[in-house]
């Protein structure tokens, strides 16, 4: 299997970086090929702008997604985007590895998503969810956070973690076609003992070794909707 790890943390010696290193070591030991995009180390530019295209369909008015489509066709995407897109298309498994910032991903990673998941390749027209351009690939989100586990869930102070990660799990990864696996979560990371952190690293190793056995999370399938994307009537029990 070919694996792309996109890592976003400003501190090279962070615990989040230790999770990245654990993933590289575990997956390579299993014979998988791994590439890492370390966004801070690459000084990745997260800002989507007109500079992302060496030529434009419409130089007067920027419609970013339309220019992405043309950029793919004409090979006029900026070199840093094209390079990341090539890695993404090469990979069978994408791992997004990051600390939670404000119930979300660091801006650096958000900007990777904005610029690299280009229209025309990853989605476009009615190519989304199970029909998305990256269908057939898997994705795993690996996160660290400050909160404790009991603060997340139904009725908990912050609500369910999957609701918090919805823009990434559903609105991004599932939308472009990935089979999205249950996130790996290291809770309360800065406040626990070294031993507890080592235990998270060990849990992650075991999880990665058996990733192939996992069922993806459930997300919509276009076959559940009509031409206008209204939900099709589910057969009532009496109809079945
Ligand atoms: C802008 C911002 C917004 C945030 N928003 C939220 C939020 O919405 N919700 C929330 O819950 N949290 C939030 N946080 C907290 C943040 O998610 C956590 O601080 C972060 O995930 C902790 O992971 P880290 O990799 O940064 O830990 P680090 O601080 O890098 O590491 C923690 C400790 O682990 C040690 N360590 C490093 N490597 C290893 C190793 N191999 N083995 C054992 N120990 C090791 C380090 O030396 C350090 O002592 C936010 C933080 C910021 C800065």
């Amino acid at each position: 299997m070919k694996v792309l790890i996109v890592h976003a943390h400003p501190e090279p010696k962070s615990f989040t970086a230790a999770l990245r290193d654990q993933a590289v070591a575990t997956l390579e030991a299993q014979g998988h090929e791994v590439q890492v995009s370390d966004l801070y180390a690459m000084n990745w530019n997260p800002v989507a702008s007109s500079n992302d295209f060496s030529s434009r369909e419409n130089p007067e008015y920027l419609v970013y997604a339309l220019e992405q489509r043309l950029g793919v066709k004409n090979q006029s995407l900026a070199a840093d985007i094209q390079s990341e897109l090539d890695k993404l298309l090469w990979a069978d498994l994408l791992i997004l590895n990051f600390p939670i910032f404000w119930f979300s991903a660091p801006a650096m990673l958000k900007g990777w998503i904005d610029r690299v998941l280009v229209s025309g390749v990853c989605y476009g027209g009615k190519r989304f969810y199970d029909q998305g351009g990256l269908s057939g690939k898997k994705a795993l989100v690996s996160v660290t956070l400050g909160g404790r586990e009991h603060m997340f869930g139904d009725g908990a102070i912050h609500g369910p973690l999957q609701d918090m990660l919805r823009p990434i799990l559903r609105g991004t990864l599932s939308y472009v076609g990935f089979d999205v696996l249950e996130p790996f979560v290291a809770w309360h990371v800065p406040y626990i003992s070294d031993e507890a952190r080592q235990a998270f690293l060990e849990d992650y190793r075991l999880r990665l070794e058996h990733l192939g056995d996992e069922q993806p999370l459930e997300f919509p399938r276009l076959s559940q909707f009509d031409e206008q994307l209204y939900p099709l009537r589910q057969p009532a029990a009496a109809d079945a």
Side-chain angles (χ1 to χ4, degrees), residues 9 14-16 18 99-103 144-147 190 194 197-198:
H9 196 294
S14 67
F15 182 73
T16 308
I100 294 287
F101 280 5
W102 295 113
F103 275 38
T144 56
L145 40 65
D194 257 5
R197 283 191 288 263
Q198 292 299 329

Side-chain angles (χ1 to χ4, degrees), residues 66-124:
L66 291 181
E67 296 295 349
Q68 283 180 317
R69 278 184 226 174
L70 188 84
V72 170
K73 223 186 280 170
N74 296 350
Q75 298 188 317
S76 56
L77 293 175
D80 60 344
I81 297 176
Q82 188 64 56
S83 163
E84 290 304 296
L85 183 59
D86 290 345
K87 289 186 217 170
L88 183 64
L89 296 177
W90 164 88
D92 306 303
L93 169 68
L94 171 69
I95 299 180
L96 300 181
N97 189 65
F98 59 95
I100 294 287
F101 280 5
W102 295 113
F103 275 38
S104 185
M108 196 63 128
L109 178 58
K110 177 61 166 61
W112 184 90
I113 290 168
D114 291 348
R115 297 181 69 228
V116 177
L117 298 185
V118 298
S119 180
V121 177
C122 303
Y123 71 97

Side-chain angles (χ1 to χ4, degrees), residues 122-136:
C122 303
Y123 71 97
K126 281 209 183 136
R127 292 190 312 133
F128 56 96
Y129 287 130
D130 58 313
Q131 304 298 315
L134 303 183
S135 61

Side-chain angles (χ1 to χ4, degrees), residues 43-61:
N43 200 20
W44 172 256
N45 166 23
V47 181
S49 79
S50 58
N51 296 330
D52 292 347
F53 313 102
S54 58
S55 63
R56 296 256 300 272
E57 170 87 2
N58 181 353
E60 307 300 324
Y61 190 105

Side-chain angles (χ1 to χ4, degrees), residues 4-5 21 25-26 57 77 80 85 103 135 160 178 184 188-189 200 208:
L4 173 61
I5 301 176
D21 295 345
T26 305
E57 170 87 2
L77 293 175
D80 60 344
L85 183 59
F103 275 38
S135 61
F178 283 108
F184 178 83
H188 210 40
V189 162
F200 277 128
L208 291 167

